[in-house]
Amino acid sequence: MSKKLTPRMGKFKVLALIFVSVVINYMDRTNISVAASAMSADLALTPIEMGLIFSAFAWTYSIMQIPGGMIVDVVKVRILYPFILIAWSLATLVQGLVSSLSALIGCRMAIGLFEAPSYPANNKIVTQWFDTQERAGAIAVYTSGQFIGLAFLMPVLALIQSYFGWRGLFIVSGLIGIVWAAIWYMFYQEPSEQTQPKSIKENVSAEQASLTEDHWMKLKFAFTQRKLWGIYIGQFCLGGTMIFFLTWFPTYLTEYKGIGELKTGFYASIPFLAAFFGVLLSGFLSDWLVRKGYSNEIARKTPIIVGLLLSGTIICANFVDSNAAVIFFLSLSFFGNGLASINWVFVSLIAPKNMVGLVGGCFNFIGGLAAVIVPLLIGVLSQDGDFRFALAMIASLALVGLCSYIFLVGKVEQIQAPDFTLERKTASFGN
């Protein structure tokens, strides 16, 4: 677009573009969950095979987190974002045209591969367009898209499937992404000197300098610190609850609770709304406590501990019969998951100052492994159509995450890293 944007107008437009992109991103991750029951019946897929299909997305998504971030560093977002949007949308569309297990797994892997750079790209955009004191709010706005978007999309996706079938659901979803890629390219522009915050060039230069030094020693350090493993394990456990709702949840309602597919879409939206409010409450409450002078143990840890406790209430769904009670406990659990989503703040609070990016990559990688492992475990545990053991497993993960933050993270304080350059020189001298 040739028209120049004022800084304020540009920020709102950019944030709107990211928000819609996040909604489409999660639509293409989770439409498989809406289609799962009809697709598995049509193609005679077992629960274990469905677990493989559900987890295939995360195989490539997790592995590509760090490489995806590197790609974002060197390719302009205006070019990269439409490209990956079209690529994962085409893979989504092709899902509606294939029938074999291997082809479906391949499509899910392709979606994970091309979606991997999207969140690093979102972070880069926010960094380029928003000042430091504005970024947390901007991140909260676009992150909420994954919950509020799915809350309203679940009934819509169920309605699309009722008219066009599960194959039509994938085809329509893919076409929406391709159209949005064109809109993105037309309306997004790289920040100009007028719109870019003054501190960005200095920050980017400092980050790039730190990335060139002693990668392997820093990576080893990032995986040998107790506090860091505390937040890694916590992220994995939070991801376990999240991935249940993104994959098996509609199947649980349809096949185990006997709710019709169209009604499932409406019931499934309620926990996503609960998670959305949990995310907002977590951010505002934590920031309010910080402004009131409370320590990080209170301001930052409290929402996570309370959230993980609530997340564990998912097991209560095993002991109630009415659909309303089941949805209540599942919504309470997902609300807790949203409340604990502030956990990303611990990366900047605990990681050494010059390793925030690396630790963030490790943190997201371990969290992504939950999307690989948990769907498979649920498929194994629910082979006979009984989800009770699966829900107990998810509740157990919440308990493990709670213990991780209490006993492994401990006091919230920044880890002091050694001088890696000096260590390397000393090691070289010793040899």
Side-chain angles (χ1 to χ4, degrees), residues 57-67 112 116 364-365 367-369 371-372:
F57 167 89
W59 302 348
T60 48
Y61 186 80
S62 299
I63 292 170
M64 285 299 295
Q65 280 301 303
I66 295 174
N364 214 28
F365 170 72
L369 291 180
V372 175

Side-chain angles (χ1 to χ4, degrees), residues 383-396:
Q383 285 187 77
D384 59 355
D386 188 345
F387 276 80
R388 287 179 297 175
F389 291 110
L391 295 189
M393 181 266 292
I394 295 167
S396 300

Side-chain angles (χ1 to χ4, degrees), residues 86-107:
I86 290 171
W88 90 57
S89 297
L90 285 173
T92 299
L93 188 153
V94 171
Q95 283 179 122
L97 305 176
V98 299
S99 298
S100 69
L101 175 65
S102 58
L104 287 167
I105 289 175
C107 288

Side-chain angles (χ1 to χ4, degrees), residues 360-414:
C362 298
F363 175 82
N364 214 28
F365 170 72
I366 298 295
L369 291 180
V372 175
I373 297 169
V374 171
L376 286 171
L377 281 178
I378 294 175
V380 171
L381 293 172
S382 62
Q383 285 187 77
D384 59 355
D386 188 345
F387 276 80
R388 287 179 297 175
F389 291 110
L391 295 189
M393 181 266 292
I394 295 167
S396 300
L397 282 178
L399 179 61
V400 171
L402 179 67
C403 293
S404 179
Y405 270 98
I406 293 175
F407 299 112
L408 292 182
V409 174
K411 185 178 180 181
V412 182
E413 57 186 1
Q414 191 170 58

Side-chain angles (χ1 to χ4, degrees), residues 15 18 22 119 122-123 126-127 130 134-145 279 344:
L15 200 53
I18 303 176
V22 167
Y119 263 73
N122 294 340
N123 189 60
V126 168
T127 301
F130 292 84
E134 301 174 316
R135 288 176 200 161
I139 291 171
V141 168
Y142 78 69
T143 301
S144 69
V279 169
W344 261 101

